[in-house]
Amino acid sequence: MNLFTKFEQNVLNEFCENDVAKQVIPEYEEKYEYLPQTLNNPVKDFFYWIKGEIYDLQALNDCFLGRERLIKRKAKLENKKKNDQSTLDKLSQGKKTLGTIFKGESAKQVTMTNLSNSIATAERDIELYDKILAMVESYIGKNVIPEFKEQKEKFYYKI
């Protein structure tokens, strides 16, 4: 028997002048000894529910942020390809750039070859990013959002 139960029992005995027949709840310690352990805190349940909802929304937000990162990487590659293409065009026309002012003809040819390889690699990577983005957007649109919506609707209709 814990201290609180003893105190309650003593208060009841004092109030009833130690007469068990006058007690409203004579079996206090048997019935209510484990009452504090069986009660749950609704604020705690509410806290965990809200925390779960926040995690769900953060996961959905992370999904969209991942898509945005892919778009930024693709834009960066497109920008690099555009810059390399303009540099290659200048070199093929015989113009000088800051990187080729002090280079000879053979070094310019090597630079032009490297730029063409870089452009080809960038084009291939851009195509792959397009495919990846199409897959991600399809997955988000067909699986993630409907599943998220369905789970939330089920839960809220339960309430």
Side-chain angles (χ1 to χ4, degrees):
M1 183 183 317
N2 64 19
L3 188 62
F4 180 71
T5 308
K6 287 180 184 177
F7 173 76
E8 288 289 323
Q9 192 65 38
N10 289 337
V11 169
L12 283 172
N13 286 336
E14 190 66 34
F15 182 74
C16 297
E17 300 167 352
N18 291 325
D19 186 9
V20 180
K22 291 182 179 179
Q23 288 185 357
V24 178
I25 307 173
E27 305 89 22
Y28 178 80
E29 50 190 74
E30 290 126 22
K31 284 185 179 178
Y32 303 109
E33 184 174 352
Y34 298 105
L35 183 65
Q37 289 84 7
T38 59
L39 294 176
N40 61 353
N41 187 353
V43 174
K44 187 177 179 184
D45 293 339
F46 183 69
F47 170 77
Y48 287 126
W49 173 67
I50 292 295
K51 196 170 190 173
E53 293 295 314
I54 289 171
Y55 285 151
D56 287 346
L57 289 173
Q58 284 176 343
L60 190 64
N61 189 35
D62 287 345
C63 182
F64 292 122
L65 290 177
R67 179 184 164 272
E68 291 298 321
R69 282 193 301 267
L70 285 173
I71 291 173
K72 285 180 184 176
R73 287 180 186 168
K74 180 185 167 205
K76 190 176 178 182
L77 267 176
E78 288 172 341
N79 192 25
K80 182 182 182 301
K81 178 188 164 219
K82 187 177 94 175
N83 290 339
D84 287 350
Q85 185 65 45
S86 68
T87 305
L88 182 64
D89 290 342
K90 286 180 186 176
L91 286 176
S92 62
Q93 293 172 0
K95 295 181 181 177
K96 296 186 181 207
T97 62
L98 283 175
T100 61
I101 286 179
F102 301 111
K103 290 185 178 181
E105 282 302 314
S106 62
K108 286 182 183 178
Q109 291 299 325
V110 169
T111 303
M112 288 174 66
T113 305
N114 289 341
L115 285 173
S116 347
N117 291 339
S118 175
I119 290 169
T121 304
E123 285 175 349
R124 188 184 75 237
D125 289 347
I126 289 170
E127 287 177 18
L128 291 175
Y129 270 112
D130 284 336
K131 290 178 182 177
I132 291 171
L133 274 169
M135 287 175 20
V136 166
E137 288 170 350
S138 173
Y139 183 75
I140 290 172
K142 291 181 181 175
N143 294 3
V144 174
I145 293 174
E147 185 178 327
F148 180 81
K149 185 178 176 184
E150 183 181 332
Q151 286 177 351
K152 297 307 167 195
E153 283 177 349
K154 281 182 183 177
F155 182 76
Y156 290 122
Y157 289 142
K158 241 186 214 182
I159 294 175

